[in-house]
Amino acid sequence: MADIALQIRIATDPETVYRALSTPEGVAGWFTTGAEIGEGVGALHRLSFPGAPMTWDFRIDEAAAGKRLAQTVVAGPPQWIDTEIVYALEAHPEGGTVVRFDHIGFAEIDDMFREVTMGWAGMFARLKEYVETGTPVPYFTL
């Protein structure tokens, strides 16, 4: 199995970061403007991307405001199915929020895995910019 693990510090509180991860406006502000965002355990985050023939559907497995959002990919490219996405948020002692991100369960390190790793890194730079400035900077625009 192959896993992606990233960490970033964002200069705002965990609740603000959580809203960026879990609301339609938030997800559209840094990730994709093609976002239908459900709320609560069992709901879906359905994401669309330019030129993609399918949606990526993330089922919410755990939602703890300001602390943790865990999802399982239930629709999308074959390499993504049944992978897990976890955002763990923690207030930093010197201010801001540490976001620890794991995308786990890829079958192998192939070209898709490598592209996804780079994609997540770029998207987290957008997440930081969006949350700190309030100005939307979506990585994907439909």
Side-chain angles (χ1 to χ4, degrees), residues 12-142:
T12 193
D13 60 277
E15 290 76 19
T16 300
V17 176
Y18 186 83
R19 283 192 300 276
L21 301 172
S22 64
T23 66
E25 300 81 18
V27 173
W30 67 278
F31 196 168
T32 179
T33 58
E36 298 174 38
I37 305 300
E39 293 184 38
V41 173
L44 292 179
H45 285 192
R46 177 165 284 145
L47 307 176
S48 299
F49 304 101
M54 68 194 77
T55 61
W56 277 247
D57 295 352
F58 303 172
R59 182 191 65 234
I60 301 170
D61 298 325
E62 184 180 349
K67 295 183 179 102
R68 185 176 168 90
L69 178 64
Q71 305 167 316
T72 298
V73 180
V74 296
Q79 299 96 319
W80 283 59
I81 302 299
D82 295 326
T83 61
E84 298 174 45
I85 296 170
V86 178
Y87 305 89
L89 311 177
E90 181 180 319
H92 191 278
E94 297 173 16
T97 301
V98 174
V99 180
R100 291 182 183 89
F101 171 83
D102 297 292
H103 190 168
I104 57 178
F106 285 90
E108 62 182 330
I109 298 175
D110 60 4
D111 288 346
M112 167 70 84
F113 177 84
R114 293 174 191 284
E115 289 178 23
V116 171
T117 301
M118 287 298 297
W120 279 122
M123 285 182 274
F124 276 97
R126 301 285 180 105
L127 172 65
K128 178 178 175 63
E129 182 178 351
Y130 169 62
V131 173
E132 290 181 349
T133 68
T135 302
V137 288
Y139 196 81
F140 298 102
T141 303
L142 294 183

